């Protein structure tokens, strides 16, 4: 059985300690990233929706970087939306900047009623081969 290793981006350790979870878990070549949101420095939601989505992707990028990966390593994306119909175009515009080339990762978008005050969350699975 392969060992699982916790991955944390720099500077946000306190958030994960308070809520008792890991930013990501590496198991072999796979990286399972916890849902990332667009929070301000104090942990509160960014009020502007487009900025909130961009921050969530930025936070995701920091977790990937801490694991030695990039957006190109992502194979599966799940996003959560509090108002999918109204938010979809905004999310697509940010998503298209982050994944500009084929092949695109798998993507599942889920409408939800609660995200702890946030309106968007993204979680991914990436394949990041370990350095020899």
């Amino acid at each position: 059985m392969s060992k699982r290793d916790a991955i944390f981006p720099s500077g946000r350790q306190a958030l994960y300690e308070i809520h008792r979870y890991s930013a990501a878990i590496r198991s072999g070549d796979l990286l399972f990233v916890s849902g990332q949101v667009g929070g301000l420095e104090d942990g509160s939601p960014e009020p502007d929706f487009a900025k909130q989505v961009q921050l969530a992707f930025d936070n995701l990028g920091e977790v990937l970087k801490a694991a030695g990966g990039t957006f190109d390593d992502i194979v599966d994306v799940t996003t959560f939306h509090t108002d999918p119909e109204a938010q979809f175009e905004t999310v697509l515009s940010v998503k298209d900047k982050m994944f500009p080339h084929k092949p695109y990762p798998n993507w599942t978008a889920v409408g939800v009623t609660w995200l702890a005050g946030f309106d968007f969350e993204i979680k991914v699975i990436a394949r990041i081969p370990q350095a020899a």
Side-chain angles (χ1 to χ4, degrees):
M1 178 175 198
S2 41
K3 181 181 178 235
R4 63 180 187 174
D5 297 309
I7 305 290
F8 297 96
S10 62
R12 295 181 42 223
Q13 184 71 30
L15 170 71
Y16 299 107
E17 289 296 325
I18 289 168
H19 298 289
R20 297 179 306 280
Y21 72 103
S22 299
I25 294 289
R26 179 193 297 274
S27 181
D29 287 352
L30 294 176
L31 185 71
F32 300 87
V33 181
S34 293
Q36 299 296 305
V37 294
L40 301 172
E41 287 290 320
D42 65 2
S44 66
E46 162 59 54
D48 179 89
F49 181 70
K51 290 179 183 176
Q52 187 181 130
V53 173
Q54 185 62 60
L55 270 173
F57 274 93
D58 293 347
N59 290 337
L60 172 58
E62 290 299 314
V63 175
L64 291 167
K65 181 179 173 184
T70 69
F71 282 88
D72 289 336
D73 297 305
I74 294 173
V75 294
D76 187 71
V77 176
T78 304
T79 55
F80 303 91
H81 313 257
T82 56
D83 187 355
E85 189 172 359
Q87 299 165 342
F88 205 70
E89 289 305 316
T90 301
V91 172
L92 274 180
S93 69
V94 177
K95 180 182 159 287
D96 288 348
K97 286 190 300 188
M98 307 315 284
F99 302 106
H101 306 291
K102 293 179 181 180
Y104 306 114
N106 296 344
W107 181 27
T108 302
V110 181
V112 298
T113 59
W114 184 81
L115 288 172
F118 293 88
D119 293 305
F120 175 80
E121 185 170 335
I122 181 170
K123 68 181 294 320
V124 304
I125 301 170
R127 183 178 176 278
I128 303 173
Q130 295 176 327

